[in-house]
């Protein structure tokens, strides 16, 4: 007789656990405001903390405001439509001029790539839910294959985002008082989440290979049993 379908292996359960961890950390990093933070005891710093979509300032003004007529205090969404002049802050964050004349568009790169990472991780979470709620289905190998491809691509996007921000986020040409700024815990969670995403992708790939070999074994064993019966 052909042996019954075995349950998911240890690598499959570890893949699910690592992806759950990765998705949680990436989600927290996506929507929190501690990618870059000023020292708490540093006086005179205009920036408090920076997230991908929300920024918090102590007393911030843009360079084009040469007469210093408008200062921004508190936390605001990057695309805040209600604060007069905040579009100048958004422009400064996304295209600040460097000393050598080029534009610091790295922040837009980080936003775009980490958003892709989050979106693909969300799709991976849906695929993981299918694997958990629908065990033993015929399409499990296809879901596993889509899952590890999805998470590998998500990891690539996330890896690029954290590398770029890690290299440029604390640059003296971007935020004022750069010597009092440091990468903070939201960025740290993003890094750990991206690493966990890579581990989950590898484990899903391992599980896919294991299930594929099991399926090949069952099929070959069934053919052998049928031929033996005929003889």
């Amino acid at each position: 007789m052909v042996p019954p379908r075995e349950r998911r292996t240890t690598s499959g359960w570890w893949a699910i656990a690592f992806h759950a961890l990765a998705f949680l950390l990436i989600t927290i990093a996506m929507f929190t405001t501690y990618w870059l933070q000023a020292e708490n005891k540093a006086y005179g710093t205009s920036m408090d903390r920076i997230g991908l979509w929300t920024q918090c300032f102590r007393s911030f003004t843009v360079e084009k405001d040469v007469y210093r007529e408008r200062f921004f205090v508190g936390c605001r969404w990057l695309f805040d439509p209600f604060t007069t002049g905040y579009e100048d802050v958004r422009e400064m964050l996304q295209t600040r001029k460097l000393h050598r004349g080029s534009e610091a568009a790295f922040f837009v790169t980080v936003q775009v790539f980490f958003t892709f990472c989050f979106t693909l991780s969300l799709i991976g979470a849906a695929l993981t839910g299918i694997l958990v709620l629908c065990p033993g289905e015929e399409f499990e190998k296809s879901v596993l294959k889509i899952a590890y491809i999805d998470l590998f691509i998500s990891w690539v996007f996330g890896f690029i985002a954290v590398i770029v921000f890690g290299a440029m986020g604390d640059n003296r040409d971007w935020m004022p008082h750069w010597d009092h700024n440091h990468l903070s815990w939201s960025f740290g969670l993003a890094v750990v989440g991206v690493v966990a995403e890579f581990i989950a992708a590898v484990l899903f790939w391992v599980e896919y290979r294991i299930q594929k070999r099991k399926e090949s074994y069952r099929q070959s064993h069934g053919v052998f049993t049928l031929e033996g019966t005929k003889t």
Side-chain angles (χ1 to χ4, degrees):
M1 296 178 60
V2 180
R5 183 182 182 87
E6 298 183 22
R7 296 178 62 85
R8 187 172 296 108
T9 65
T10 303
S11 63
W13 290 114
W14 276 111
I16 293 172
F18 267 100
H19 178 57
L21 174 64
F23 179 65
L24 175 64
L25 297 181
I26 289 173
T27 302
I28 294 174
M30 180 76 175
F31 298 105
T32 50
T33 60
Y34 288 87
W35 283 64
L36 184 70
Q37 184 179 12
E39 296 177 2
N40 293 328
K41 297 182 179 180
Y43 295 98
T45 57
S46 57
M47 187 272 293
D48 185 15
R49 59 188 187 271
I50 294 291
L52 295 184
W53 308 107
T54 304
Q55 298 76 42
C56 299
F57 300 115
R58 296 174 182 175
S59 182
F60 187 81
T61 185
V62 295
E63 292 180 350
K64 65 169 57 178
D65 185 9
V66 294
Y67 296 107
R68 298 296 186 264
E69 297 176 340
R70 184 181 292 115
F71 291 86
F72 299 94
V73 180
C75 299
R76 289 176 176 82
W77 181 45
L78 180 63
F79 300 97
D80 183 356
F82 304 109
T83 302
T84 303
Y86 206 72
E87 63 275 7
D88 295 333
V89 176
R90 180 170 62 251
E91 180 184 357
M92 187 280 300
L93 288 172
Q94 297 181 333
T95 59
R96 186 179 180 90
K97 293 289 185 178
L98 301 180
H99 290 167
R100 54 184 177 272
S102 60
E103 291 185 344
F106 79 92
F107 191 60
V108 178
T109 301
V110 174
Q111 288 175 313
V112 171
F113 278 81
F114 202 77
T115 299
F116 283 147
C117 173
F118 168 76
T119 303
L120 291 173
S121 185
L122 180 61
I123 295 174
L127 296 173
T128 300
I130 293 175
L131 292 173
V132 173
L133 299 176
C134 305
E137 297 290 341
E138 293 299 327
F139 56 82
E140 181 171 348
K141 291 199 306 300
S142 298
V143 175
L144 286 170
K145 184 176 182 179
I146 296 173
Y148 82 74
I149 293 175
D150 173 80
L151 297 186
F152 268 125
I153 298 174
S154 174
W155 168 75
V156 171
F157 284 133
F159 179 77
I160 294 174
V162 297
I163 288 296
V164 171
F165 193 86
M168 302 293 294
D170 200 16
N171 192 290
R172 67 170 62 196
D173 298 318
W174 189 48
M175 281 287 107
H177 308 287
W178 64 274
D179 51 332
H180 295 295
N181 303 333
H182 58 85
L183 300 175
S184 194
W185 59 265
S186 293
F187 174 74
L189 292 183
V191 173
V192 177
V194 169
V195 172
E197 192 89 316
F198 175 75
I199 296 174
V202 172
L203 290 173
F204 271 121
W205 175 76
V206 171
E207 178 69 10
Y208 169 75
R209 298 293 297 176
I210 291 174
Q211 295 299 336
K212 188 175 181 180
R213 287 197 298 268
K214 286 183 178 181
E215 185 67 25
S216 298
Y217 169 78
R218 284 191 293 268
Q219 291 177 355
S220 62
H221 188 78
V223 171
F224 175 79
T225 304
L226 181 60
E227 293 177 351
T229 303
K230 287 182 179 180
T231 58

